[in-house]
Amino acid sequence: TASHVHQSNCTKIMTEAFRRNNDMATFAIHLFIDAWPSGWLKTIMDFKRNPKPAYFTYRNALEPLMISFRTDRFTYYADEEVKLESYLSNDTNDVDTYDVVYEVTNEKGELVYSEKTSVTSSPVETVYVASPTFTAKEVKDRALFTVTAILMKDGKVITYNREDIEVFERKNAVENEDVVWVTD
């Protein structure tokens, strides 16, 4: 199970990165289906043709219109500014203007931040949309926040994508004499 989750996360990062690269003409996953009886962990479908979670991640990342996040960090401290880049990948010849709604929710599903912008797609190209930016809330120990980008046209959801951000409590007090905390 843990290897399937890891494979799915890696598939999301790599496939969406390939989609965002306008110089990329085509790509595929090597060893799509497992060969019996070896049981390779690197395939996204087992030898009985049962898809693993990475199969669905790969499928979703190949949608004709895909909203995608790019970030260098998945963890932050409380009161830090969280900033993710977002992109619209368009594999169609259509040019259209869309609304993009960003929502940040905590582990309880409560909305802690939202923002709305618009973007015009380019045919068979990826375009930068925006960089939703918010301040991480104060947490006890650690908490998971989900950033969602929703692509909409005329009030209807076309597609969406999510990225989880983990926020850690900022500890200012020295709890161990051998450790010195240096902050601003």
Side-chain angles (χ1 to χ4, degrees):
T1 300
S3 70
H4 286 182
V5 169
H6 180 71
Q7 180 188 41
S8 181
N9 291 338
C10 293
T11 300
K12 177 179 172 54
I13 290 169
M14 290 305 304
T15 307
E16 290 186 12
F18 289 155
R19 283 290 304 278
R20 289 189 303 265
N21 185 344
N22 285 320
D23 294 329
M24 185 73 67
T26 186
F27 57 87
I29 286 189
H30 179 62
L31 299 172
F32 194 77
I33 300 174
D34 200 351
W36 185 84
S38 57
W40 293 335
L41 293 176
K42 56 191 167 187
T43 63
I44 62 174
M45 197 174 290
D46 68 18
F47 67 88
K48 293 181 181 176
R49 305 307 191 255
N50 295 317
K52 299 177 186 176
Y55 169 85
F56 299 104
T57 301
Y58 186 64
R59 180 199 63 190
N60 293 346
L62 297 179
E63 288 181 304
L65 278 175
M66 181 196 66
I67 192 87
S68 174
F69 287 114
R70 198 208 72 73
T71 183
D72 293 327
R73 296 177 61 186
F74 298 97
T75 58
Y76 292 85
Y77 284 106
D79 297 325
E80 254 191 301
E81 184 178 82
V82 179
K83 186 175 185 178
L84 296 95
E85 299 170 10
S86 64
Y87 296 85
L88 175 61
S89 296
N90 179 12
D91 281 351
T92 71
N93 286 318
D94 299 334
V95 176
D96 213 339
T97 300
Y98 301 93
D99 290 323
V100 180
V101 176
Y102 300 101
E103 295 180 345
V104 180
T105 54
N106 61 18
E107 291 173 318
K108 297 175 187 174
E110 300 166 334
L111 185 67
V112 296
Y113 172 83
S114 68
E115 178 183 333
K116 183 178 178 181
T117 190
S118 63
V119 63
T120 301
S121 63
S122 293
V124 194
E125 190 173 48
T126 295
V127 295
Y128 170 79
V129 179
S131 293
T133 305
F134 64 97
T135 301
K137 301 290 182 190
E138 191 62 44
V139 298
K140 183 71 177 151
D141 192 35
R142 66 170 58 176
L144 196 65
F145 291 85
T146 302
V147 183
T148 306
I150 307 163
L151 186 71
M152 302 178 75
K153 178 69 179 171
D154 300 325
K156 295 181 182 168
V157 174
I158 305 296
T159 187
Y160 66 93
N161 204 340
R162 291 191 168 114
E163 197 63 64
D164 288 333
I165 300 295
E166 192 166 17
V167 177
F168 293 90
E169 176 182 15
R170 186 178 293 276
K171 297 182 180 183
N172 292 322
V174 176
E175 297 175 4
N176 182 336
E177 294 176 356
D178 299 331
V179 176
V180 176
W181 292 92
V182 179
T183 66
D184 285 345

